[in-house]
Amino acid sequence: MTRRQMSRSIFLFVVTVLAGSFVAAADNASADALPAAVTRVVDFERDVRPILESRCAECHSKDDPTADIQILSRRSLLRGGESGEPAIVLSRSADSFLIKVVAGLDPDVRMPPKGPRLSSEQIAILRGWIDQGLKMPGSETPADAGKTGHWSFQPVGNPEPPRMDDRFVASPIDSFVLKKLKEQELVPSPRADRRSLIRRLFLVMLGLPPTSAQVAAFVSDGSPDAWKNLIDNVLDSPQYGERWARHWLDLIRFGETHGFETNRERPNAWYFRDWVIESLNSDKPYDEFVRQQIAGDAFGEPIGTGFLVAGPHDIVKGQDPNLTLMQRQDELSDLINATTTAFLGMTIGCARCHNHKFDPITQRDFYAVQAVFAGVEHGDRRLPVPEDRQEQIAAIRLRIENLRQQLRGFIPPSSNEFREAVSAKHNVDRFAPVKARFVRFTILRTNSSQPCIDELEIFSDKENVALASSGAVATCSSSLPGYPIHKLEHVNDGVYGNSRSWISNEAGGGWVQIEFPDVQTIRRLEWARDRESRFSDRLAIEYRIDTAINAGEWTSVASSDDRRPFGDSKKSVPVYRFDNVTEELATQGRQWLAQLDAAEQEAERLAVVPTVYAGTFRQPGPTHRLYRGDHNAKREIVGPDAIQMLGSLKLDGNAPEQQRRVAFAEWIADSSNPLTARVIVNRLWQFHFGTGIVDTPSDFGANGTTPSHPELLDWLARDLMTNGWSLKHVHRQILMSNTWQQDSRPIADSMKVDGATRLLWRFPPRRIEAEVIRDSMLAVSGQLNSRMGGPGFSGFEVEMENVRHFHPKVSFGPEDFRRMIYMTKVRQEQESVFGSFDCPDASQVTPERSRSTTPLQALNLLNSSFVIEQSEFLAARLTTEAPQTTGDKVHLAFELCFSREPTSDELSDSVTFIEQSGLMQFCRAMLNANELVFIP
């Protein structure tokens, strides 16, 4: 039997299995009814092939050896067909669908479809074959499995720029572009004039027009480095981050409301927006930018994980558990899609219900990535105290302890010093540093009913080591059943409040315990009933804290014994007396007391940290592959991993939550990943020229397009990585090229060959985005508020009902004149004037905006109260800055709006128009001109 014939037989044997259309029927099959697997070594040639030859070839015509039959391999048996359902589960024959159907355990499927069934002996052989590793001729090695010839999955090359003897070539980019132009007998355009160049540079890189002074300075600068110096100044401008952050926030569907029917606000989401702006302005290496958005809590940039929860979130929960499960699956799918499209340009979301139809991505791959993010949940998170401040606080606390010791001599002997009574909002128990692997908090009495704890935090010197995301495991004496918001897993998930808390199932008592992955040195424990101060019942008023290195060998380190009785509102402030000592000692004591008060205030000030909408993390349970994406059709457990075709994370199935995200982030950011650098340089190219080298910027798979300049794409990707992943470096390379500096005017002959300008024989002109239109109007009218960062301003009048209602704003003030990136991003709503210019609503990822032209756009700009108001401001500015003649006002208006002087006809017509209709109407016309909203 030839290998093709053998493979053909295997195909005939399992083709029905791989179709996956009836897999669910076998779920209830009993493994007890299966013949036991043979224990002897199964040889494929001796044992398995005879079964296939004798029993399965009859399923298809033996006289048709040239039939177009899928050639199956060991990998295809394990991978399954389009449904994602594998025919065989490696080393687990009892769980393999193939065994179930040949054993007759599925009432709807008969295998083989003709003739008698396999004997028990034959089934036992097949079971042994599977359990022993599915060995067969031609099996791929792990290194060969999943290989594909698709261009984007190959390692990034290191192409040499073509040798081109042409004065157009000023950089390697020009060499690659010119080579393609010559192949199509096209010639590049001449360099644009300086006024067009500076205007283009400012609009593309800063999203604002240059000032008249900046234009004049560049036009008159005769130095050979004038353009280079201008680029450096632009890249150093803080407005660069504001401009390019908008591109990134579109891409990851960042919004400041939850979306769905209530569309409630996220008042603490703006921190992430500011973090992106600052990251770009500081030229944070892109590989670090990637890592910190996926696992910033592990890399010292906790705000970065705002990326993980940037998308919509349905806060309306029902009693139906199926609805809750479906919502969670949709939420995770949205996160996976945003992550893999943004960083990898891969549509892995298509594999949620079945194997990807175009790319070598299995359904198992999708759920392996889901296992990476299964512990991520939407919510606010209190940031940790920064390390530099932790050191300051530690030093101040040491000084506080020393001062208290020095002041003890001034406490009268009759004074009994107790700590303040327990509080529902927050309690701290300090003790001498102790080594422990187990910490148990035992509740002895409560103020009512079963005890409740919203979060148990245990601190070493600098961090909370009790978090489940760090590998700590919580156990307890009991948990109140039937309440999803009160679970054991909530006691160390890092989230405060009653809605994520633990309640014991014992009236007035119980215990909760934290086990660390290894021995820790701890010194304090913090806990509360409800840090959101909504509930004060179920409060532990008598308790004990025990530690142990070995399970069961408990030592008590703190308790409620030294606290004031519950309900006693007195603070635990010692009474110091200075009247019974010498004046010298009294003076010294008062100085120490003043220093103590100042130190305590400073420690409290330094400990204040913001709460940020950056997600919360918990240790997830097992992740299952879901048949057809149905949350009720669980299949095998899938561990956290990457896309198999591109590599593996090599993690244990129960790896700590944070470790999963760290490994995934490192995998994406690794220079050996063939996609990461290609995808981001393509995005930079797209936002410079309007279209990427790959014009499907978030689909580098088989269903996407091929690069217009593949060697250039690889050269840029390699250049990025070898220059510290600096995005500003890539910007400089592009901006210094003659390709970018070309004139944008059309050439008839070139348009016939390349009407879309994909080969870049000129700079492609295009309309600027809504944000740039609005910001430019504010800039030329003189009203732009350049304040950076902080909470944004609303573009709506908000009706604060349970379901938020957003109405157009009718009046505007200085706070509304900030850049549009600081306008609160509301999902499912568009700002009344500029939203019509193709603004995405942040409900879905937007790798590239559409560019529509509609009557509503023109009507909005012409008639909106915002534009009319800015026209009035511009008129006032012209009157103030060019008071002499109407012609002077026209000159200044053209310089401000278009970065150029008016032609003689424009000057004459403008003066006549102003005389007939007034200066404000002229300004209104200028703000509605096409030239204002186009990149030249």
Side-chain angles (χ1 to χ4, degrees), residues 53 89 124 181 227 285 329 353 451 508 569 617 638 706 727 772 784 823:
E53 289 180 329
V89 180
L181 291 176
W227 179 244
Q329 285 298 315
C353 302
S569 60
F617 310 109
V638 180
T706 55
L727 298 183
V772 186
L784 182 65
M823 181 185 289

Side-chain angles (χ1 to χ4, degrees), residues 257-498:
T257 62
H258 289 303
F260 293 93
E261 60 265 42
T262 59
N263 212 12
R264 294 286 192 89
E265 57 281 341
R266 294 177 181 171
N268 298 318
W270 61 267
Y271 287 96
F272 176 73
R273 174 248 291 154
D274 285 0
W275 180 86
V276 173
I277 293 172
E278 174 56 30
S279 295
L280 295 175
N281 276 334
S282 65
D283 198 21
K284 178 174 291 180
Y286 181 69
D287 57 341
E288 292 183 17
F289 188 60
V290 171
R291 292 186 186 97
Q292 291 168 7
Q293 290 180 85
I294 296 174
D297 52 317
F299 292 110
E301 292 284 345
I303 298 176
T305 59
F307 162 84
L308 300 173
V309 290
H313 173 51
D314 193 350
I315 63 173
V316 177
K317 308 299 180 184
Q319 298 298 317
D320 184 358
N322 284 314
L323 174 62
T324 302
L325 290 171
M326 183 178 68
Q327 287 174 319
R328 181 58 176 163
Q329 285 298 315
D330 290 344
E331 195 170 89
L332 288 171
S333 181
D334 176 63
L335 170 55
I336 293 166
N337 179 64
T339 303
T340 55
T341 55
F343 297 122
L344 299 173
M346 293 299 296
T347 57
I348 187 176
C350 295
R352 175 180 176 180
C353 302
H354 50 73
N355 290 337
H356 202 292
K357 293 184 179 296
F358 301 104
D359 299 324
I361 301 172
T362 67
Q363 193 190 24
R364 187 180 180 87
D365 287 335
F366 175 88
Y367 288 98
V369 176
Q370 186 185 100
V372 171
F373 296 112
V376 177
E377 296 192 349
H378 279 261
D380 288 310
R381 187 172 84 243
R382 189 176 65 173
L383 295 184
V385 178
E387 285 192 17
D388 57 341
R389 272 202 270 166
Q390 287 181 11
E391 294 174 359
Q392 294 179 58
I393 292 171
I396 292 172
R397 283 178 174 165
L398 180 61
R399 175 155 177 73
I400 288 171
E401 291 301 321
N402 291 336
L403 287 167
R404 284 176 176 168
Q405 289 296 324
Q406 289 171 318
L407 284 165
R408 290 189 70 84
F410 298 96
I411 301 174
S414 60
S415 174
N416 293 321
E417 185 179 359
F418 287 96
R419 293 192 293 153
E420 57 193 78
V422 293
S423 163
K425 185 176 181 180
H426 188 220
N427 301 283
V428 180
D429 286 277
R430 291 186 174 86
F431 39 84
V434 60
K435 292 183 180 295
R437 183 164 186 185
F438 303 89
V439 177
R440 178 174 290 187
F441 188 92
T442 302
I443 298 101
L444 305 173
R445 189 161 71 95
T446 67
N447 65 342
S448 65
S449 197
Q450 302 100 321
C452 176
I453 295 177
D454 72 345
E455 186 74 9
L456 194 66
E457 299 176 299
I458 305 170
F459 289 88
S460 61
D461 286 335
K462 295 183 178 181
E463 64 177 326
N464 175 16
V465 295
L467 287 169
S469 58
S470 299
V473 177
T475 54
C476 63
S477 58
S478 62
S479 280
L480 185 67
Y483 293 88
I485 65 173
H486 302 303
K487 293 183 177 180
L488 174 63
E489 65 194 54
H490 296 163
V491 83
N492 65 333
D493 63 355
V495 184
Y496 300 148
N498 181 72

Side-chain angles (χ1 to χ4, degrees), residues 98-326:
L98 175 63
I99 295 299
K100 293 177 181 179
V101 295
V102 298
L105 300 183
D106 187 338
D108 298 325
V109 182
R110 174 184 173 83
M111 286 286 289
K114 299 178 182 179
R117 294 190 179 278
L118 299 188
S119 67
S120 295
E121 181 183 356
Q122 290 174 316
I123 294 172
I125 290 173
L126 291 178
R127 288 198 64 186
W129 177 48
I130 294 171
D131 290 343
Q132 294 172 29
L134 200 69
K135 296 176 182 178
M136 56 189 294
S139 296
E140 308 97 325
T141 65
D144 294 331
K147 279 193 174 179
T148 173
H150 187 66
W151 69 269
S152 67
F153 304 143
Q154 310 311 310
V156 175
N158 191 18
E160 285 290 327
R163 294 182 179 274
M164 307 296 292
D165 185 14
D166 194 294
R167 64 182 181 179
F168 174 74
V169 176
S171 76
I173 290 174
D174 298 328
S175 295
F176 290 108
V177 171
L178 184 60
K179 180 175 182 292
K180 282 285 185 180
L181 291 176
K182 286 185 175 295
E183 289 173 1
Q184 298 298 319
E185 298 182 351
L186 292 169
V187 295
S189 296
R191 192 172 190 257
D193 64 87
R194 283 203 169 193
R195 288 182 178 272
S196 296
L197 280 177
I198 187 173
R199 182 171 179 81
R200 179 189 301 172
L201 178 67
F202 273 62
L203 290 176
V204 169
M205 298 305 298
L206 304 182
L208 291 169
T211 66
S212 300
Q214 288 168 328
V215 174
F218 177 60
V219 170
S220 63
D221 189 345
S223 68
D225 291 333
W227 179 244
K228 178 181 178 298
N229 293 337
L230 184 64
I231 291 172
D232 289 342
N233 290 336
V234 163
L235 289 175
D236 288 340
S237 168
Q239 295 164 336
Y240 157 77
E242 292 175 322
R243 165 63 164 154
W244 284 78
R246 182 71 268 161
H247 297 318
W248 187 255
L249 297 179
D250 278 1
L251 180 63
I252 65 169
R253 84 272 185 255
F254 169 80
E256 293 174 82
T257 62
H258 289 303
F260 293 93
E261 60 265 42
T262 59
N263 212 12
R264 294 286 192 89
E265 57 281 341
R266 294 177 181 171
N268 298 318
W270 61 267
Y271 287 96
F272 176 73
R273 174 248 291 154
D274 285 0
W275 180 86
V276 173
I277 293 172
E278 174 56 30
S279 295
L280 295 175
N281 276 334
S282 65
D283 198 21
K284 178 174 291 180
Y286 181 69
D287 57 341
E288 292 183 17
F289 188 60
V290 171
R291 292 186 186 97
Q292 291 168 7
Q293 290 180 85
I294 296 174
D297 52 317
F299 292 110
E301 292 284 345
I303 298 176
T305 59
F307 162 84
L308 300 173
V309 290
H313 173 51
D314 193 350
I315 63 173
V316 177
K317 308 299 180 184
Q319 298 298 317
D320 184 358
N322 284 314
L323 174 62
T324 302
L325 290 171
M326 183 178 68

Side-chain angles (χ1 to χ4, degrees), residues 638-649:
V638 180
D641 212 337
I643 301 171
Q644 185 182 20
M645 175 264 302
L646 293 173
S648 174
L649 305 184

